[in-house]
Amino acid sequence: MPSTVLALGAVSLITDVSSEMVTAVLPLYVVAGLGLSPLGFGLLDGINNGVGALVRLAGGHLADRGGRRHKLVAGLGYGLSALCKPLLALAHTLPVLSAVLAVDRTGKGLRTAPRDAMISLATEPAHRGRAFGVHRAMDTTGALLGPLVAFAVLRATVDGYDAVFTVSACVAALGVLVLVLFVPRNIDAPADAVRRSQPPDAVRPSQPADAVRPPRPPDAVRPSRPPEPSRPPALRDALGLLRRPDLRRLTVCAALLGLTTVSDSFLYLLLQREGDLPAHLFPLLPLGTAASFLLLAVPLGALADRVSRRRLFLAGHGVLLLGYGLVLSPWHGVPAVLAVLLLHGTFYAATDGVLAAATASVVPDRHQGAGQALVGTGQALARFVCSLAFGAAWSLWDGRSALTVTAAALAVSTLVAAFVLRTVDDTPATATTEEARA
C-alpha cells in the first residue's frame, strides 16, 4: 500500500473524529435543543450535502491545474472546515447555523476530489479498489471514534454541546497539521503502471550492429519540431469528460441512486424513535454503521478489484434497501436496530470507495480530480434534493410513510441503474490501456 494512501488515511481518520463528533449530536441538537421541525432539519441536512457539491467541481478542477496542486487545494478545504467548528457553539438560530454549515461543507467540497485524485494517482490501477478500501477503513475508524468522544464529552460536561464543538475544532486542527507534514506535494502515477504500458526491452526486435540502412531521399528529410508544451487542463476540458460514455453513465446512475438515499441523520432519527432509545444513546447509533463499514471496507474493495466495481456498487444499494425494509418491519428493539446499522455500514463499504475506484478507472490521470468531482457532485446534489424532499414528506405525513415511498423509489432506481451500467467496463486492464493512450 503506497505511503501516500496511508498518510491521507491518517488525515481522514483525525478529521473524521472531528466531523463525526458534530454529526453525532447535530440532529438531536437542532431538533430537541433548538426546536426545529423535520423540514427545518431537512434544510440543514441538505446544506450538508448540497453546498459542498457546488464547490466540488471547482476543487477538482483547481487541483488538476498548475502541476497537480492536489495537496494545496485539499489543505485549503481541511483548514476551512477546521475554522468552522468553534463557530457552531455561537450558532443558535437556523440562518446562522445554516451559514456555518455551508462554509464547513464548502471546505469538504474542496478537499474531497483532490484527496481521491491523490489516492488514484499514487496507486496501481489494478489495486485501486483495495487502496480506496484501506483509506475508507481508516476514515471510518475516525467515524467510529467520533461519536464515542462526543458521548463522553456530553456525559462529562454541563454545557455538553458547546464542549463537543470546541473539542472538535482542536482535533480538526491536528488533522490539518498531519496533512501539511506527511502528505507529499507532488504525486505521480506508479512506476509499475508506466512500465506495464510500455513494451519491455526484452521483446523489442534487435538489429545487427553491422546493418546498413539505405539512405533516405532528400525530400524525406524534414526539420524536427520541438514538442508543444503541455497546457494545464481548462474548465471546458473537465466538463468535456462527460463526453466519455462510461463516465457519463456512472455520473447519471450515482445521481439517480442519490435521489433515493435517505441521509444518515434521518435514518438515525427514525431508528431512535422506532426503537424507543433514550436520547443520551443517540450519539452511539453511528457506531454500528462505522463498525461494519470498518470491517468490510478493505475486503469489499479487494473484491471489487477481482470482480466488477459497478456490480458491487449496485449490490450495495440492494443491501440498503434491505435495511429500509427492516426499519419498516414489525421487528423492533435493540436487535433490529443493530441489524439495520450492520446493513447500513455494509452499504457504505460496497459503494463509497468502490464508486471512486470505478471513476478512476475510466478517467485519464491528468483529469483525476475533475473526474472524481463530476461523479461526486452529481451524487451530492441528488442527496441534497433527497434531504429536502424527505424532510418535507416527514412533515406532511410521518417518518414511516416517507421512508416507504423512498424505499420503493430506491428499488426502481437500482433496476434502472443496473440497465444503464451494464456496458460500463471498469476492469483494471482497461484502465491501464486507456491511461497509456492518454
Side-chain angles (χ1 to χ4, degrees):
M1 193 56 54
S3 59
T4 299
V5 176
L6 299 179
L8 288 170
V11 174
S12 294
L13 187 156
I14 297 170
T15 303
D16 232 43
V17 172
S18 170
S19 299
E20 291 303 319
M21 287 179 64
V22 175
T23 302
V25 302
L26 189 63
L28 203 61
Y29 174 66
V30 299
V31 174
L34 301 183
L36 296 181
S37 66
L39 179 59
F41 178 73
L43 175 62
L44 284 178
D45 196 65
I47 289 173
N48 270 339
N49 290 306
V51 173
L54 297 177
V55 298
R56 189 172 299 191
L57 277 175
H61 172 65
L62 290 175
D64 287 338
R65 290 181 62 86
R68 293 176 179 171
R69 295 179 294 184
H70 299 96
K71 179 180 177 179
L72 175 61
V73 177
L76 291 175
Y78 281 110
L80 194 60
S81 295
L83 291 175
C84 290
K85 295 299 189 297
L87 298 179
L88 290 171
L90 305 177
H92 299 293
T93 61
L94 180 59
V96 177
L97 190 60
S98 299
V100 175
L101 289 177
V103 177
D104 177 71
R105 294 300 95 180
T106 298
K108 182 176 177 60
L110 282 175
R111 71 180 184 249
T112 301
R115 180 203 64 200
D116 287 347
M118 285 190 283
I119 296 173
S120 300
L121 293 172
T123 310
E124 296 182 24
H127 298 151
R128 280 173 175 162
R130 185 179 62 177
F132 277 104
V134 169
H135 174 268
R136 296 316 195 253
M138 298 179 70
D139 181 88
T140 307
T141 302
L144 190 66
L145 296 175
L148 289 175
V149 177
F151 176 75
V153 172
L154 282 177
R155 298 285 290 181
T157 59
V158 177
D159 297 326
Y161 293 117
D162 291 346
V164 168
F165 299 148
T166 302
V167 175
S168 173
C170 297
V171 177
L174 178 61
V176 176
L177 182 62
V178 173
L179 175 74
V180 172
L181 295 179
F182 296 102
V183 175
R185 177 178 300 178
N186 296 320
I187 300 173
D188 296 319
D192 291 343
V194 176
R195 285 196 296 267
R196 283 200 305 272
S197 65
Q198 300 174 349
D201 295 338
V203 299
R204 292 176 181 173
S206 59
Q207 187 175 8
D210 56 351
V212 179
R213 295 183 179 180
R216 292 191 301 173
D219 57 354
V221 179
R222 295 183 176 90
S224 60
R225 293 183 302 173
E228 297 181 359
S230 60
R231 62 176 180 85
L235 183 59
R236 64 177 179 272
D237 298 329
L239 298 177
L241 291 174
L242 289 176
R243 290 195 294 266
R244 294 172 171 263
D246 286 349
L247 182 63
R248 184 169 62 247
R249 293 188 183 100
L250 279 174
T251 304
V252 169
C253 290
L256 177 64
L257 293 169
L259 283 172
T260 54
T261 302
V262 178
S263 72
D264 298 356
S265 299
F266 273 126
L267 184 62
Y268 297 148
L269 282 173
L270 278 171
L271 283 176
Q272 191 264 336
R273 296 189 178 189
E274 294 292 330
D276 294 327
L277 296 177
H280 70 274
L281 294 180
F282 184 86
L284 299 181
L285 287 179
L287 295 181
T289 297
S292 57
F293 190 179
L294 175 62
L295 293 175
L296 296 175
V298 176
L300 289 183
L303 178 64
D305 288 333
R306 293 195 299 269
V307 289
S308 172
R309 292 160 185 167
R310 59 181 174 83
R311 291 176 182 173
L312 194 62
F313 176 70
L314 293 171
H317 285 84
V319 171
L320 180 63
L321 187 61
L322 291 177
Y324 291 169
L326 275 182
V327 176
L328 297 171
S329 70
W331 186 31
H332 299 297
V334 175
V337 171
L338 294 178
V340 172
L341 295 177
L342 174 63
L343 293 173
H344 196 222
T346 304
F347 155 71
Y348 276 118
T351 58
D352 190 7
V354 172
L355 179 61
T359 302
S361 299
V362 297
V363 178
D365 280 349
R366 69 192 300 261
H367 292 296
Q368 280 294 326
Q372 296 287 348
L374 282 171
V375 177
T377 297
Q379 186 181 60
L381 286 176
R383 290 182 176 179
F384 167 73
V385 175
C386 182
S387 292
L388 294 180
F390 193 87
W394 190 334
S395 298
L396 291 175
W397 309 324
D398 57 76
R400 290 182 62 86
S401 299
L403 186 61
T404 301
V405 174
T406 305
L410 176 60
V412 175
S413 299
T414 303
L415 293 176
V416 173
F419 177 78
V420 173
L421 294 177
R422 71 191 188 283
T423 59
V424 173
D425 189 358
D426 61 352
T427 57
T430 300
T432 303
T433 303
E434 187 169 350
E435 289 168 2
R437 291 174 181 173

